[in-house]
Amino acid sequence: MPTVLITGAASGIGRDTARLFAQAGWQCVLVDYNAQALQQLGQSLPRPASAEHVLRCTDLTDAAQLASLGEGLPALDALLNNAGMSDASNTPLAEQSPQQAARLLALNLGAPAAVVDACGSVLKPGARIVNVSSGAGLHAIPWRGLYSPSKAGLIAQSRALAQVRPEWCVTVLCPGFVKTELVAGLIEAGRINPERAVAKIPLGRMASPDEMAQALFFLASAGAAPLSGQVLAVNGGSSIYGGSQAFAPATLEVLPLDMPLQLEVLGGAVEPWQAVAPKLESSGPHYGACLDLSPLHCEGSLLQAVHEAAIRFANRHAQQASLTLLLPPERAGRWQDAGDGAAARMLVSTLACEWGARALRINALEMPPQATPQSMHALLRYVCGPTAQYVTGQTLTCRAIGAGQAR
Ligand code: NAI
């Protein structure tokens, strides 16, 4: 039975994530300082087969409580640093003293490192550590105190941890705008204008908390191993958009996240990749996806290979489908050719912006040298499939791992 520790589990994204893990049979160690909400959650979860969930009422900004967090815990397969806070005071930064922001920094940047330190001895070899940052860690969001700086710091800290502990898989989730109960309430009360909120999101909608839970569930699995050191932005494409035009709210309903995946593999030796998704027996409702290998094998311009793959896909899919491209690792070569790879990656992002209104997604995976298809299957299943319906415009750089490491 796998075991996960989730901080900030008592509400929002953390609570939905805890439910998903418990439903999947994981033993959960749930950490939060809201004792009442934690108890309620613990009682509502399905119980694991041969153990109890563990509830830890801990203030993650308190050094003494943090230091003893690891005591008596079961061995952990995954650790999710999800707890975080924003600054709602509306006080300009130049009017804030460092002391004022100390609690936010302690929770958003100090606690994730302290939790890993405290749990180091119970983390299994090959454990997955996921730090929940934010789109605010990728682009500055003003009037929220040190929220953006703290989340940018968390991304850098995660990359550094991935470097020094290559035996772990350390990743970052950057959620976009999530329609938690709190946000839904603010919309209902007229305090958030939903049209303005989605204007910079190519997919034209907010995420459901379940989509974040699914992303965390994938990142906590052994299949995420090729992504160690990477940021997974689950934000409908908001972080790749640089235009000034407002996107219209989505008109297409999100497809069920558990819809069967129908995957077509094109552009090379397809056979070792076909096992990503079993062939569907029936022609019932399915989520259409294409995995195109041609950029990986192209000998000429990568930009042109990506463009051709995109045209092929757009001719076959009108809406609600995904295109995933495999790219070669960045090659050292003549400086005159150095723009080709960057242009190809920016083309992926640009296409995502143009296709968003039709919920057509496009993402690319930069393969490491000597990658085995098997080691990429779980990652591809996630990126191509319906649980990643809020992931678009991303190029993820993968690291090489042993065949047995990612299942
Ligand atoms: P939330 O406010 O609904 O839940 C945060 C949880 O952390 C609560 O249960 C709270 O009791 C707990 N917590 C707060 N301070 C604590 C402390 N000192 N010690 C222990 N527990 C503490 O937050 P939400 O919206 O679910 O966000 C979760 C994470 O996702 C945060 O890191 C947030 O920054 C990030 N995020 C959320 C987005 C959204 O749209 N909801 C967007 C981008 C990032």
Side-chain angles (χ1 to χ4, degrees):
M1 179 182 50
T3 303
V4 62
L5 181 147
I6 306 171
T7 71
S11 90
I13 295 170
R15 190 175 46 199
D16 277 54
T17 303
R19 287 191 181 128
L20 182 62
F21 277 88
Q23 280 156 9
W26 287 56
Q27 182 189 17
C28 299
V29 178
L30 305 173
V31 182
D32 206 289
Y33 71 168
N34 184 336
Q36 202 188 353
L38 197 58
Q39 283 296 336
Q40 272 173 4
L41 175 66
Q43 282 160 9
S44 71
L45 294 180
R47 287 167 64 180
S50 56
E52 297 288 331
H53 297 303
V54 179
L55 307 182
R56 282 290 169 90
C57 184
T58 305
D59 183 342
L60 293 165
T61 61
D62 181 302
Q65 292 186 42
L66 270 168
S68 60
L69 183 64
E71 286 167 19
L73 290 187
L76 299 174
D77 295 271
L79 188 167
L80 312 185
N81 275 311
N82 163 71
M85 65 187 285
S86 186
D87 180 339
S89 70
N90 224 10
T91 313
L93 277 163
E95 291 169 25
Q96 289 198 11
S97 67
Q99 290 75 16
Q100 227 181 315
R103 192 172 166 80
L104 182 148
L105 278 182
L107 182 64
N108 291 6
L109 190 53
V115 171
V116 172
D117 276 341
C119 297
S121 61
V122 292
L123 280 167
K124 292 185 188 171
R128 280 77 62 192
I129 295 162
V130 190
N131 289 332
V132 180
S133 177
S134 166
L138 301 170
H139 298 290
I141 300 193
W143 319 118
R144 291 217 221 157
L146 287 180
Y147 186 65
S148 265
S150 70
K151 291 297 191 179
L154 183 57
I155 294 172
Q157 184 195 93
S158 311
R159 289 199 167 121
L161 178 61
Q163 286 273 324
V164 296
R165 299 303 296 260
E167 72 278 23
W168 290 338
C169 167
V170 185
T171 55
V172 182
L173 174 70
C174 280
F177 214 145
V178 187
K179 200 168 175 181
T180 53
E181 281 164 37
L182 186 87
V183 172
L186 291 172
I187 292 173
E188 224 155 86
R191 293 193 37 214
I192 291 183
N193 174 334
E195 287 196 11
R196 277 194 69 184
V198 301
K200 288 185 173 172
I201 306 175
L203 287 177
R205 65 176 180 89
M206 296 179 201
S208 68
D210 205 22
E211 288 177 297
M212 289 311 142
Q214 292 285 354
L216 285 167
F217 192 72
F218 163 67
L219 291 173
S221 74
L227 287 187
S228 194
Q230 289 287 298
V231 171
L232 181 67
V234 183
N235 60 16
S238 58
S239 58
I240 47 112
Y241 178 55
S244 55
Q245 210 179 315
F247 290 103
T251 51
L252 296 164
E253 287 288 321
V254 179
L255 294 171
L257 302 189
D258 58 357
M259 201 171 217
L261 171 63
Q262 172 130 309
L263 183 73
E264 177 185 36
V265 188
L266 300 174
V270 301
E271 203 252 320
W273 301 96
Q274 241 138 13
V276 167
K279 260 209 155 24
L280 291 183
E281 300 298 331
S282 83
S283 58
H286 60 263
Y287 186 77
C290 174
L291 172 62
D292 199 320
L293 316 174
S294 51
L296 182 64
H297 303 301
C298 84
E299 295 194 343
S301 158
L302 191 59
L303 176 70
Q304 197 179 329
V306 168
H307 196 186
E308 284 168 5
I311 292 169
R312 260 196 306 276
F313 175 76
N315 284 335
R316 294 153 93 103
H317 295 273
Q319 61 181 48
Q320 293 187 299
S322 75
L323 170 62
T324 306
L325 302 167
L326 298 191
L327 308 185
E330 277 207 73
R331 335 171 228 222
R334 291 176 355 120
W335 69 263
Q336 289 90 338
D337 301 329
D340 186 42
R345 286 189 290 278
M346 186 55 91
L347 177 57
V348 169
S349 298
T350 313
L351 284 158
C353 295
E354 291 193 2
W355 288 352
R358 290 186 283 149
L360 286 178
R361 304 190 292 115
I362 174 168
N363 295 288
L365 300 182
E366 211 174 272
M367 305 297 280
Q370 289 113 35
T372 61
Q374 291 76 4
S375 65
M376 296 291 156
H377 280 175
L379 170 57
L380 284 166
R381 211 162 22 247
Y382 171 72
V383 173
C384 295
T387 50
Q389 274 177 87
Y390 207 54
V391 180
T392 194
Q394 307 298 314
T395 297
L396 297 165
T397 306
C398 302
R399 66 170 179 161
I401 53 160
Q405 268 179 284
R407 289 181 300 274

